[in-house]
Amino acid sequence: FIIFVGASPLEANYGPPLRSGKLMDNLISKKVKFAVIDPRFSKTAAKAWKWIPALPGSEGALALGIIKWILNNNKFDARYLANANKAAAKADNEPTWANAAWLVKIDKGEPGPFLRGSDLGIEKQVRTFTDKKTNAEKQYEFDPFIVLKDGTPVPFDPNDEAAPAEGELSVDTELNGIKVKSVFKLLSENA
């Protein structure tokens, strides 16, 4: 299922050109359905399962409405969204992971940067990498991100392939005097 927002792959000057052929082949064989959100009844909208003539500038509100419906009707993959890094995704046979469980600092009621290990007194790690341009080894400080698992803060590296990190989705709490919420919680509140 595809949702095209302000895009019309069946009209001229829209690339890549291979997409329109594949889209039509899959439409004819009934392998795909698509909806078009566009104020104009385009050629793509004419072939769509559903055309939504949203007013210009209202696409964001429509997207938040769709998100709210998904959340209210529990139509999301919580297992996938809990995967905070590459290792957790790999353990669940997923090609990617999400930041939905990552914790965000809340300051004066507004979301700020992600909560990091150093915010909780966890020392930064010194890591080494090879600079591809100079082939020289360089060092940097890594400050892990944090998720909450069973009420306990868990530091993690998003690109770690060995240590899976999974977190709780709906978090609104305080850690070491720092008000935090999960990305998922912030999204659901905003939707």
Side-chain angles (χ1 to χ4, degrees):
F1 188 82
I2 304 167
I3 301 175
F4 292 111
V5 182
S8 189
L10 299 181
E11 297 189 75
N13 297 323
Y14 187 92
L18 295 175
R19 182 190 283 184
S20 55
K22 289 180 181 181
L23 178 63
M24 289 311 296
D25 288 346
N26 286 322
L27 186 62
I28 290 166
S29 66
K30 299 193 185 304
K31 289 182 181 177
V32 71
K33 270 183 162 179
F34 64 90
V36 173
I37 301 169
D38 196 325
R40 185 174 68 89
F41 189 70
S42 65
K43 291 178 183 178
T44 306
K47 302 281 186 212
W49 164 76
K50 187 83 61 181
W51 170 53
I52 301 168
L55 295 173
S58 66
E59 296 88 350
L62 179 62
L64 288 171
I66 292 169
I67 291 168
K68 190 65 176 174
W69 184 92
I70 290 168
L71 295 172
N72 286 345
N73 291 282
N74 210 24
K75 297 293 185 183
F76 55 90
D77 186 345
R79 191 186 106 235
Y80 170 79
L81 293 175
N83 291 333
N85 70 354
K86 190 180 276 190
K90 186 177 176 184
D92 283 343
N93 283 331
E94 294 286 356
T96 61
W97 59 97
N99 70 356
W102 297 18
L103 298 182
V104 175
K105 295 189 277 188
I106 306 299
D107 184 28
K108 298 177 187 160
E110 295 295 320
F114 287 114
L115 182 71
R116 303 303 282 258
S118 61
D119 296 319
L120 302 179
I122 299 169
E123 285 191 39
K124 295 177 182 177
Q125 303 168 1
V126 176
R127 294 187 174 181
T128 305
F129 73 99
T130 303
D131 186 319
K132 291 181 182 178
K133 290 181 182 177
T134 64
N135 217 22
E137 285 201 357
K138 296 186 177 183
Q139 291 187 330
Y140 68 99
E141 285 186 328
F142 176 74
D143 196 0
F145 294 91
I146 305 293
V147 293
L148 206 62
K149 182 71 173 174
D150 300 323
T152 303
V154 176
F156 70 95
D157 176 349
N159 296 305
D160 189 333
E161 295 185 38
E166 293 182 347
E168 299 167 21
L169 293 179
S170 193
V171 176
D172 182 353
T173 192
E174 197 171 294
L175 298 172
N176 282 20
I178 303 169
K179 176 91 172 126
V180 295
K181 292 183 181 183
S182 63
V183 170
F184 183 87
K185 180 73 171 174
L186 289 168
L187 176 64
S188 61
E189 287 176 355
N190 281 296

